[in-house]
Amino acid sequence: MNFVGAHVLSVSQFDRDAIEQVFTVADKMEPYAHRDRVTRVLEGAILGNMFFEPSTRTRVSFGCAFNLLGGEVRETTEIKTSSLAKGESFYDTARVLSGYSDVIVMRHQTEGSVQEFATASRVPVLNGGDGSNEHPSQALLDLYTIRKEMAAQGKDIDNLRIALIGDLRYGRAVHSLCRLLCLYRKVHFTLVSPPELSLPDSYVDEMRAGGHTVIESQDLAPGISHADIVYVTRTQEERFPSQEEAEKYKGLFRLNQSIYTQFCEPNTVIMHPLPRDSRGNANELDNDLNENPNLAIFRQTDNGVLVRMALFALILDVVHLVDKYARDVSWYTAKRF
Ligand code: CP
């Protein structure tokens, strides 16, 4: 894959070599993300960060990643604060905003919208999530996290045993992650969901065609036993035809410390793309797991900055210049990492 000037719209653009390239550059970004060093390699560059759907970590971590490389960020949030609300097309919006930015990240509720926008854009566009379709940067950071967590246990992504739990129908992070995992060998997938929220057949067919094992279940306990990774997801209520419909599925599968101790292996890693829904009727990933050392959810969010820095550095072709424009930090830095 040639990253320079490329759009990143789907995980189907990636092969294992491209993934390794991203991960190698992400590793190189650690001193900068961890505030040991500062680089100004993207000084003068502008990121157009356009989030037409709610977001905390994708929007802020893409913005931080760009700032950490020395660039500036211009944000558009919500449709109602943009001229899309006045009927402007994606085509016109893309032509205009790509004149103001060097690279654009976009999130929108409609499947295929980011692809449509990218077709008209004069600069590279990264998909920050389009409806229930794809979330490529989330899948890359999840895979990066899985690789690190498994390496710490002397394991590999090949032969991984992963349980995916919850809303697998509308969860775009799960869709993109499953596609990336299909690039590895003999992954054992256990899919735990109510039948109405099961993973679409196209993904299951692709996984089976690639020689992976897929077990579908409606029972949490056997699903999470013998898993290296338990990947929990929230009911994506914003994708349901009505709130009432979404409420039916909240709280069906809840992972807490007691269930973890009873059914998981002692070193099973717990992941979630976040946000977790901590309201009482949902609570799919309980706060009583917060001190569990195998809870990797905040390692995932930290890794997101590294992976997003890597994508920017590769697309804007500055990987070889990052260290040249670097110096030590001059302020107090709390030990967070
Ligand atoms: N994982 C994720 O996409 O989180 P946000 O919706 O907060 O960006």
Side-chain angles (χ1 to χ4, degrees), residues 41-267:
V41 70
L42 287 185
E43 189 163 24
I46 295 176
L47 165 66
N49 214 20
M50 299 165 49
F51 277 73
F52 299 116
E53 261 197 336
S55 171
T56 294
R57 70 229 81 232
T58 312
R59 178 174 63 82
V60 178
S61 68
F62 264 123
C64 281
F66 209 73
N67 288 148
L68 287 164
L69 290 167
E72 293 190 29
V73 182
R74 295 284 175 270
E75 292 213 324
T76 305
T77 53
E78 297 190 291
I79 290 173
K80 69 181 184 207
T81 62
S82 89
S83 286
L84 287 173
K86 299 181 219 167
E88 190 164 41
S89 65
F90 284 137
Y91 179 89
D92 285 3
T93 309
R95 296 301 291 179
V96 171
L97 290 173
S98 55
Y100 303 159
S101 318
D102 296 282
V103 59
I104 289 173
V105 177
M106 177 173 163
R107 169 177 287 187
H108 193 279
Q109 65 187 14
T110 308
E111 292 186 22
S113 54
V114 184
Q115 171 113 38
E116 185 184 341
F117 183 94
T119 306
S121 173
R122 293 176 275 166
V123 299
V125 175
L126 287 81
N127 184 356
D130 63 320
S132 54
N133 183 34
E134 281 238 30
H135 197 344
S137 65
Q138 178 71 45
L140 287 167
L141 77 87
D142 286 340
L143 193 65
Y144 183 71
T145 305
I146 290 170
R147 193 179 76 149
K148 274 190 169 176
E149 299 287 328
M150 289 301 96
Q153 296 183 20
K155 297 179 189 166
D156 203 352
I157 302 178
D158 293 327
N159 302 305
L160 183 77
R161 302 166 299 167
I162 183 167
L164 297 138
I165 294 151
D167 179 357
L168 310 183
R169 176 180 179 183
Y170 295 116
R172 58 192 173 199
V174 164
H175 298 168
S176 292
L177 179 59
C178 285
R179 280 239 161 90
L180 282 189
L181 285 170
C182 278
L183 295 172
Y184 293 80
R185 278 197 301 274
K186 294 198 175 303
V187 176
H188 189 288
F189 294 93
T190 305
L191 309 175
V192 182
S193 72
E196 299 84 356
L197 301 185
S198 62
L199 189 68
D201 288 344
S202 58
Y203 292 97
V204 177
D205 292 347
E206 192 177 323
M207 287 142 77
R208 290 201 169 118
H212 307 288
T213 308
V214 183
I215 293 171
E216 296 187 83
S217 168
Q218 295 172 49
D219 203 349
L220 182 65
I224 61 178
S225 60
H226 312 300
D228 298 306
I229 304 280
V230 171
Y231 191 99
V232 183
T233 65
R234 158 185 83 89
T235 303
Q236 309 278 304
E237 60 188 32
E238 63 276 30
R239 314 262 174 249
F240 281 73
S242 70
Q243 188 65 33
E244 190 185 13
E245 182 70 12
E247 293 300 327
K248 287 191 213 165
Y249 301 103
K250 289 186 182 180
L252 285 184
F253 303 110
R254 288 181 167 155
L255 183 61
N256 59 27
Q257 186 59 54
S258 157
I259 291 169
Y260 180 90
T261 307
Q262 209 178 333
F263 297 107
C264 289
E265 291 177 1
N267 55 0

